[in-house]
Amino acid sequence: KPNATTAASYSVAGNFKGRVDDPRLPQPLTSVSLPFQLTQSELRVQDAEAWAGETRLQMSGSVKGSMTDGLSAASPFSMRLKVEDIELNDQLAKPLTGKFRDAWDKFSPQGKIDADVTVLFDGHEMKTSVVADLLDASIAYYKFPYRLHHAQGQVRFHENTLEVDHVSATAS
């Protein structure tokens, strides 16, 4: 029998399956499989998967709270999102804000990529890392008057550092 100072304890596991239609998303998410585990101090998602048109999304992550306060907006979290065969276009850019929208506007990316995105939040600071494999992309840097087409290679963004590795493209 718990007393007033004992916090309740629980554990729930499940798997959401279905479809997500949200006007904030560029396309509906179909064939969604989102296995989760929830306790009073953690939400964990492992090997979630969905499709957005021809794009495959895979996600794993966790949010950690405290035994006394549970989960909150300030709870530390980690997330990894893998995206295969995504089409870069204006529709995808619409929800972007801040430094992500600034980067999009400076490079005007288009075409197909695979991406691996990691987001970490320690309760105070968020860190984002992106590795993009350019499959057939194009960019038009705002200070360079020519669009580069058929770009292939890898671009990495980590803690405000951009690295370009073996990228080739044609100018027109």
Side-chain angles (χ1 to χ4, degrees):
K1 174 178 168 181
N3 61 37
T5 60
T6 304
S9 170
Y10 59 89
S11 178
V12 177
N15 188 359
F16 170 82
K17 291 188 179 273
R19 175 185 174 100
V20 176
D21 289 288
D22 188 312
R24 296 171 293 184
L25 296 173
Q27 295 183 13
L29 299 179
T30 60
S31 302
V32 175
S33 174
L34 191 129
F36 65 91
Q37 296 174 330
L38 175 66
T39 67
Q40 67 277 6
S41 61
E42 182 177 25
L43 170 62
R44 180 174 298 276
V45 174
Q46 191 69 38
D47 299 324
E49 184 175 57
W51 290 84
E54 296 179 13
T55 302
R56 180 178 182 209
L57 301 110
Q58 298 172 289
M59 195 269 292
S60 294
S62 65
V63 181
K64 297 186 185 239
S66 69
M67 292 295 285
T68 56
D69 298 331
L71 302 173
S72 74
S75 295
F77 70 85
S78 63
M79 180 194 73
R80 182 170 183 200
L81 174 66
K82 293 179 77 173
V83 184
E84 295 176 6
D85 203 30
I86 189 166
E87 180 76 31
L88 301 177
N89 55 38
D90 291 337
Q91 185 181 18
L92 185 66
K94 282 181 185 176
L96 296 178
T97 61
K99 65 182 177 182
F100 299 105
R101 184 59 196 224
D102 291 343
W104 186 281
D105 290 342
K106 285 181 180 178
F107 290 94
S108 300
Q110 296 177 352
K112 296 265 186 175
I113 68 166
D114 290 344
D116 192 338
V117 180
T118 302
V119 181
L120 303 171
F121 179 65
D122 63 7
H124 304 287
E125 182 182 12
M126 190 170 313
K127 294 184 179 179
T128 306
S129 173
V130 179
V131 176
D133 291 315
L134 309 178
L135 304 177
D136 185 13
S138 72
I139 59 169
Y141 186 60
Y142 77 112
K143 290 187 177 183
F144 185 71
Y146 304 102
R147 178 166 281 281
L148 300 176
H149 295 277
H150 307 294
Q152 296 181 326
Q154 190 175 82
V155 176
R156 293 181 297 280
F157 176 76
H158 180 69
E159 295 187 21
N160 298 321
T161 301
L162 179 68
E163 296 177 16
V164 179
D165 196 18
H166 302 293
V167 172
S168 63
T170 58
S172 60

